[in-house]
Amino acid sequence: KAVGKGTYRTFSPGMEIRVQERVRLEAELRTALVECRDLFVFYQPIVCLRSGRVTAREALARWHHPQHGWVPPSEFIHVAEESGLIDRLGTFVLDQACREAAGWADGARVAVNISATQLGKGTLIPAILTALAGSGLPADRLEIEVTESALLSEAFDCIADLRHAREIGVRVALDDFGTGYSSLAHLRAFAFDKIKIDGTFVRDAVERPDCAAIVGLVADLGRRLGVTTVAEGVETAAHLQLVTVEGCFEAQGYLFSTPKPSERDAPLVAALEDR
Ligand code: C2E
Ligand code: CA
Ligand code: CA
Ligand code: CA
């Protein structure tokens, strides 16, 4: 609380989480998932640079730990992945995001992050179909985001999952573009609907012409491939100006909005933060 609303506290600043803490974190995350408490989905808008309209909202998992407060995804997603809890967490986010999006008056799509460990096991497509059927959300209003590193292991089965998702009408985005290995090979291996340019390029681009050139190049590449490009991490008017000039289609970042709880969860989240 002392560090302010909506901010994260690390368990052990500047240190690696000790094994004991890590084991406890896993047990506590499991409890949260089983009892369906303290876990939320926040939403952050993705804006079309031409029309200014919100075309989609990215669903981001949030965990409010009973003692430690908000735990950042960078601390619990990998715990979920390594412990096998990610399927449960992934299903929770998918179900919640689809149900929420089905009620959005503006008809925006919802984008859900999918971990590498959720791909290639034969469980993702059934989970997507269940979430769509349960919510009534049309498949073309769901987007899944996969990172480049997700495609490194078990590549064949992973790509098969992505193909299947597209066949049922779900859009597929390549997340954090430019930060992984052999980015271009991934574009050749699969026809993505969207490329998300990692925020690090965008934030550096204002001061570094080389980073601006990379943003521009990816935007051009997207145009030639007929793929929507999204600039992530747009925090300032200068970032917005730059990604617009460089030709990105869409943008996402704190300039437009930080991730926020749904209307339904907002009072609950506010109460948690005031506790
Ligand atoms: P990501 O998919 O790249 O998500 C975007 C991250 O950038 C989010 O961090 C978001 O809050 C942050 N962000 C948005 N705008 C700005 C900005 O203008 N400046 C800066 N500095 N950051 C911005 P968050 O929510 O902490 O999530 C971190 C990562 O955790 C995500 O990165 C994603 O890889 C993962 N993650 C979050 N939720 C889920 C989930 O439900 N499932 C899976 N598998 N991964 C998730
Ligand atoms: Ca993402
Ligand atoms: Ca990203
Ligand atoms: Ca990222």
Side-chain angles (χ1 to χ4, degrees), residues 58 113 145 175:
E58 180 170 4
N113 292 287
E145 298 191 357
D175 204 353

Side-chain angles (χ1 to χ4, degrees), residues 95 98-99 128-137:
D95 287 343
C98 289
R99 239 180 298 130
I128 288 175
L129 290 171
T130 304
L132 292 174
S135 62
L137 187 77

Side-chain angles (χ1 to χ4, degrees), residues 197-216:
I197 307 169
D198 194 67
T200 52
F201 292 106
V202 175
R203 288 194 292 275
D204 287 347
V206 172
E207 272 139 46
R208 289 184 48 184
D210 54 338
C211 287
I214 293 172
V215 172

Side-chain angles (χ1 to χ4, degrees), residues 94-95 98 123-137 139 142 164-165 167-170:
L94 255 178
D95 287 343
C98 289
T123 51
L124 179 66
I125 299 300
I128 288 175
L129 290 171
T130 304
L132 292 174
S135 62
L137 187 77
L142 174 64
H164 199 157
E167 275 162 23
I168 61 177
V170 172

Side-chain angles (χ1 to χ4, degrees), residues 8 44 58-62 72-74 77 81 86 89-90 93 112-115 118 145 147 175-176 196 198 203 232-235 252-255 257 259:
Y8 299 133
Q44 186 182 36
E58 180 170 4
L60 294 157
R62 291 290 180 270
S74 59
I77 294 292
E81 287 172 349
I86 192 69
L89 180 64
V93 175
V112 175
N113 292 287
I114 303 295
S115 282
Q118 291 173 269
E145 298 191 357
T147 59
D175 204 353
D176 298 348
K196 299 190 80 176
D198 194 67
R203 288 194 292 275
E232 293 192 286
V234 172
E235 293 180 350
Q252 176 180 3
Y254 297 162
L255 178 67
S257 172

